[in-house]
Amino acid sequence: MRIRNRIISVLFAFFLAVAGVVPLYAIDAYVTVIYRRIDVAFVNRSDSELNVVLSENNRDRSYYLMENYTMKKIRRLIIDSDYEFAMKADLVVIDNNLDNIEAVELYSMIAASLEKQQEQERAVAEQRKLELAKFQAEKDKQKVALEKDYKSVQTPTGDTVYVKSKEEKYTSTWWKLAFGIFDGHLINDVGNSFSSFRYGISADMNYEYTFDKIMVGIDLEGQAVILPFSGNDGTTIGDFSAVPKFALAGLSKKVQLRTGFAGVIRSTGKEASVSYVDQLIQDQTGIPAKKTGGSNLQDNFFSPLVGIGLGHIDIGPLTISANADWLFGSFAYSDVNFAMKSALNMALPIAESEKFKVSFNLGAKDTLFARDTGLENRLGLIIGIGAENVIR
């Protein structure tokens, strides 16, 4: 009887234990399913899904477990600086339990952190905007430089490709020969009230050799004015010059420094004379008398020179060159106070092959003397043909 009672007691205790354990495991399994739904809502970053889960269970006796699990997930978002979704998730927790003081305090902290993060993002975006604007400005500047210095082609897709420099040279030597078939020379001697228009011819040769850092070359030119149309004083005039030149590639190959020698020639013509009255006035006053009946043009004049030149200036199809030289040998002539020569030439290509180019040339050359008797100017307007090698 006693053994029987013991068996019954053991069975009863086992029944009570089973009755208490089964509900416990049932609750744990249910909450675990809710946890998985919360995880899915956070993975999808959906506050609406999270609200569905919490609102369906906010009256459950284990809701505090679900709420704590959600708060743990929210704190993980804060650690990862994901303030935006952390704020939405925390707001869902508050909406489902207004008594959750921890969630309310956490919301304020998240809001402050999110505002600070957004300020930093705005600052970074503004800095990036400035950097992009600076980059675009530099890009546009480089594009202008590329278009100026390089030749471009269009690809089939519409992109622009810069293929080679406009200054790129496969040969270091450049030469040009020009012949002026018409040199209309207008001579004007202001001090002696003499003017004349004459026909002449001219010839020029230019040579340049370009090194890595410097260009050196020489300009040779000559003019002969032989046929007077008006103002025939029996003279034939002309000039010549030989001028070495150089340019620094680092500054500009187009700006050239020149120094050399020039000569201005006048053949003997009818000698001018001074009247008896004018000679008396000159003797009494010392003022030079005006000569008449002959030539008062500057006689032969030879001088070293120094000057500046411009070369290879391309304006559309035209190539322009120019120079201005001071003839400082005027110090050796008592009746010449100042002398200079200048020239301008415009060349328009009319035929071109792989190696040579022929051009039509239109130019002007001028020689100026400031003499004791006044200004003397010799201006030549030149039409000619030029030939030069093509630099590849």
Side-chain angles (χ1 to χ4, degrees):
M1 186 70 179
R2 184 176 298 175
I3 296 173
R4 181 181 176 184
N5 290 336
R6 288 181 178 178
I7 293 172
I8 293 173
S9 299
V10 170
L11 291 175
F12 182 74
F14 178 76
F15 174 78
L16 291 176
V18 171
V21 170
V22 170
L24 177 63
Y25 278 95
I27 293 174
D28 288 345
Y30 169 71
V31 173
T32 301
V33 172
I34 301 300
Y35 286 171
R36 298 290 78 80
R37 292 180 63 189
I38 294 172
D39 289 339
V40 171
F42 273 86
V43 170
N44 295 334
R45 300 179 60 82
S46 174
D47 55 318
S48 59
E49 292 182 19
L50 179 63
N51 185 58
V52 170
V53 175
L54 296 184
S55 61
E56 288 178 352
N57 299 278
N58 60 6
R59 296 186 180 278
D60 192 280
R61 59 192 180 89
S62 299
Y63 178 73
Y64 73 96
L65 296 174
M66 308 170 198
E67 192 175 51
N68 290 341
Y69 186 75
T70 303
M71 292 296 291
K72 185 186 296 184
K73 303 283 287 185
I74 293 173
R75 293 189 190 94
R76 172 57 60 182
L77 291 176
I78 295 174
I79 293 173
D80 295 337
S81 298
D82 189 355
Y83 302 119
E84 187 172 351
F85 186 64
M87 176 178 285
K88 293 179 180 179
D90 190 64
L91 187 60
V92 171
V93 173
I94 295 173
D95 289 341
N96 284 276
N97 182 12
L98 294 176
D99 295 331
N100 192 330
I101 303 302
E102 180 186 359
V104 173
E105 294 177 349
L106 192 62
Y107 184 86
S108 299
M109 185 192 74
I110 296 173
S113 299
L114 178 62
E115 183 178 358
K116 184 177 180 180
Q117 184 185 62
Q118 290 174 341
E119 289 179 359
Q120 292 175 346
E121 290 175 351
R122 284 193 295 268
V124 170
E126 186 66 24
Q127 181 64 28
R128 179 169 176 78
K129 183 178 179 181
L130 292 175
E131 290 175 355
L132 287 175
K134 183 178 179 180
F135 173 77
Q136 186 62 41
E138 185 65 25
K139 183 178 177 182
D140 293 340
K141 182 179 178 181
Q142 292 179 357
K143 183 178 180 182
V144 171
L146 285 172
E147 291 175 347
K148 178 181 178 182
D149 297 332
Y150 288 83
K151 295 181 179 179
S152 62
V153 294
Q154 292 289 330
T155 65
T157 59
D159 296 328
T160 300
V161 178
Y162 298 94
V163 292
K164 65 177 182 178
S165 171
K166 294 179 179 178
E167 297 292 334
E168 185 177 0
K169 296 181 179 180
Y170 298 109
T171 177
S172 299
T173 301
W174 175 80
W175 57 263
K176 179 178 180 180
L177 299 174
F179 179 68
I181 57 179
F182 176 82
D183 186 348
H185 232 73
L186 179 62
I187 303 171
N188 191 19
D189 184 0
V190 177
N192 295 289
S193 301
F194 175 80
S195 63
S196 175
F197 183 71
R198 309 180 185 191
Y199 168 79
I201 57 176
S202 64
D204 297 84
M205 189 197 83
N206 310 104
Y207 175 84
E208 295 177 1
Y209 189 90
T210 303
F211 297 92
D212 290 339
K213 300 296 183 180
I214 192 172
M215 181 279 292
V216 295
I218 187 170
D219 290 344
L220 303 175
E221 63 176 39
Q223 288 178 291
V225 184
I226 53 179
L227 179 63
F229 292 118
S230 65
N232 184 8
D233 61 353
T235 63
T236 299
I237 64 173
D239 62 63
F240 67 89
S241 64
V243 186
K245 59 184 179 180
F246 71 95
L248 298 177
L251 297 177
S252 175
K253 296 180 182 179
K254 302 181 188 302
V255 180
Q256 304 166 355
L257 299 179
R258 299 159 47 89
T259 181
F261 186 83
V264 180
I265 301 172
R266 190 203 77 174
S267 67
T268 302
K270 294 181 291 186
E271 291 295 331
S273 61
V274 178
S275 67
Y276 176 74
V277 174
D278 289 338
Q279 185 64 50
L280 288 176
I281 294 174
Q282 177 178 325
D283 294 340
Q284 294 294 325
T285 63
I287 299 175
K290 181 184 298 185
K291 294 182 179 181
T292 60
S295 175
N296 291 297
L297 297 178
Q298 174 63 39
D299 204 350
N300 294 341
F301 181 90
F302 304 100
S303 171
L305 63 84
V306 63
I308 189 169
L310 297 175
H312 309 287
I313 307 297
D314 296 323
I315 302 179
L318 287 177
T319 300
I320 298 176
S321 59
N323 61 72
D325 303 315
W326 172 40
L327 308 179
F328 58 90
S330 57
F331 293 124
Y333 293 82
S334 60
D335 61 336
V336 180
N337 300 317
F338 177 80
M340 72 171 294
K341 289 171 62 69
S342 59
L344 171 68
N345 185 73
M346 296 179 289
L348 179 66
I350 55 178
E352 183 174 349
S353 67
E354 185 178 351
K355 295 183 178 181
F356 301 101
K357 178 168 61 177
V358 178
S359 60
F360 172 77
N361 286 258
L362 180 64
K365 294 183 179 181
D366 187 62
T367 303
L368 176 68
F369 294 103
R371 302 168 58 192
D372 291 340
T373 57
L375 292 177
E376 178 185 326
N377 194 55
R378 304 182 185 186
L379 174 63
L381 302 176
I382 303 169
I383 299 174
I385 298 294
E388 61 187 280
N389 69 320
V390 175
I391 300 177
R392 298 294 185 185

